[in-house]
Amino acid sequence: MAEYKMILDLDTGIDDALAIAYALATPESDLIGIVGSYGNILVEQGVQNSLDLLEMLGHTEIPVYQGLSHSSTTDHFDVMPISAQIHGKNGIGEVEIPTAKRKVETMNGPDFFIEAAHKYGKKLLIVPTGPLTNLAAAIKKDPEIINLVGRVTLMGGALTVPGNVNPVTEANINQDPEAADFVFRSGIPLTMVGLDVTTRTLLTTKETQKWRDLGTFAGQKYADIVDYYIDAYKVTSPHLGGCALHDPLAVGVAVEPSLVTTLALDMKVDTEGPYAGRTIGDETKVNNPNPISKAAIGVNKDKFLDEFMEKLTKLFAEAN
């Protein structure tokens, strides 16, 4: 029996699609549900992508819940052109996969967080890889979950490197700085897996060719999806030499914290002015001897990439 129960909170673009596959292929935790968010695409498209990918990978037992469709301070959401460029207009590199027979659950995403926190307690791992709007809404509705959950491992932020929206701001945090600030300051046990480490874990066409060579439908489709991502990175981040495994790394760290070295630091998010969206230490807690949150600043990239390729290649080989 798996040690942990995991919920992914995704705006299902390409690296989120890889996070789904990695979570499915990780025996240390059971993926008990996916909560949909906005960001790389609209929430409705993201939820559909999650349903379609789960069905393609042979896991129709995992429920998908729709979360909030826009930030906590706006009344609508428009996909940024750069997001469409990197992930494709459909979020998965313009690759077409069969439409799932299943539909989204009737319960909303924040309520699912609350229900799962009360049911599983410290065994629950929450992995948000988009904006923190859904988790903030859940905590505001039921603050008790702060002390119930095992830990939150989020993909977002940048502490020791520049952001990817502007010099100080990372994209997921940028979608809803107010929600991120609320979650960071809430007291929930949190590890930030940001650009400091995710841009060191890179995939190239050498790896996707291994999936293509499997001769399976899932392997071919995932290779097509990720090759689109790799091509986008050649334009947006040619210095990296591959595509960053942002969201899968957060999944990996959730179940295997030793993959990263961390700095214990109570953090906050600036919400206004030129530094809006910046993730940084909270000056009001600088003398706290026992910080609740951590920021990943180093990663054992070879170990992670080896595990990532081994697990996903096996998953794609067995999917069909």
Side-chain angles (χ1 to χ4, degrees):
M1 182 179 292
E3 185 178 356
Y4 298 108
K5 306 293 183 180
M6 181 183 291
I7 300 174
L8 298 178
D9 184 356
L10 311 171
D11 54 334
T12 305
I14 296 174
D15 53 334
D16 306 82
L18 289 170
I20 291 173
Y22 196 50
L24 291 172
T26 299
E28 294 90 347
S29 68
D30 288 329
L31 180 59
I32 61 167
I34 290 174
V35 172
S37 190
Y38 62 92
N40 297 320
I41 41 174
L42 299 177
V43 65
E44 294 84 1
Q45 179 72 61
V47 164
Q48 190 60 53
N49 286 351
S50 295
L51 287 166
D52 296 348
L53 290 164
L54 285 169
E55 192 153 311
M56 183 176 77
L57 294 170
H59 284 275
T60 56
E61 79 283 2
I62 296 167
V64 177
Y65 303 83
Q66 185 165 312
L68 298 164
S69 61
H70 55 80
S71 79
S72 58
T73 59
T74 60
D75 59 7
H76 77 288
F77 171 73
D78 297 316
V79 177
M80 291 193 300
I82 187 67
S83 300
Q85 177 186 338
I86 292 172
H87 296 273
K89 290 182 179 178
N90 73 345
I92 51 172
E94 304 304 341
V95 175
E96 293 186 9
I97 61 176
T99 302
K101 298 180 180 67
R102 286 189 311 146
K103 302 297 182 187
V104 67
E105 303 298 314
T106 55
M107 178 184 286
N108 69 43
D111 284 345
F112 177 58
F113 279 141
I114 294 167
E115 179 184 85
H118 284 273
K119 183 175 182 179
Y120 297 110
K122 296 301 180 187
K123 290 187 175 182
L124 181 64
L125 307 178
I126 296 176
V127 185
T129 66
L132 290 171
T133 311
N134 290 322
L135 184 55
I139 294 171
K140 287 176 182 177
K141 186 171 182 178
D142 184 359
E144 189 181 350
I145 69 173
I146 291 169
N147 300 312
L148 293 176
V149 303
R151 56 181 174 266
V152 174
T153 306
L154 68 96
M155 191 282 126
L159 188 67
T160 64
V161 297
N164 56 4
V165 173
N166 61 43
V168 298
T169 307
E170 181 275 331
N172 288 337
I173 303 297
N174 181 66
Q175 299 288 9
D176 196 344
E178 289 79 7
D181 185 52
F182 177 80
V183 171
F184 275 48
R185 294 181 190 247
S186 70
I188 202 164
L190 180 152
T191 299
M192 184 179 89
V193 178
L195 300 179
D196 314 84
V197 287
T198 62
T199 51
R200 302 182 203 178
T201 56
L202 303 169
L203 213 62
T204 70
T205 52
K206 176 184 173 184
E207 285 80 28
T208 59
Q209 187 61 46
K210 292 180 180 178
W211 299 342
R212 208 177 289 285
D213 290 344
L214 294 171
T216 64
F217 186 77
Q220 176 202 323
K221 290 297 185 181
Y222 260 87
D224 290 344
I225 290 168
V226 179
D227 281 352
Y228 181 100
Y229 199 44
I230 292 169
D231 285 342
Y233 264 76
K234 290 176 183 176
V235 177
T236 61
S237 305
H239 59 284
L240 289 179
C243 69
L245 296 174
H246 300 294
D247 299 348
L249 181 59
V251 173
V253 173
V255 297
E256 193 176 353
S258 62
L259 284 171
V260 292
T261 52
T262 59
L263 176 67
L265 182 69
D266 287 309
M267 288 179 284
K268 69 172 187 177
V269 179
D270 290 329
T271 58
E272 54 189 31
Y275 297 137
R278 178 176 66 165
T279 49
I280 197 163
D282 182 351
E283 73 280 8
T284 68
K285 297 180 180 178
V286 70
N287 289 313
N288 179 6
N290 298 301
I292 292 171
S293 53
K294 302 173 184 175
I297 54 174
V299 58
N300 188 338
K301 61 182 181 181
D302 293 335
K303 184 172 191 289
F304 170 70
L305 287 168
D306 286 348
E307 291 179 0
F308 176 83
M309 284 303 297
E310 180 184 348
K311 289 178 178 179
L312 263 68
T313 303
K314 183 173 185 286
L315 178 73
F316 298 154
E318 295 173 350
N320 45 35

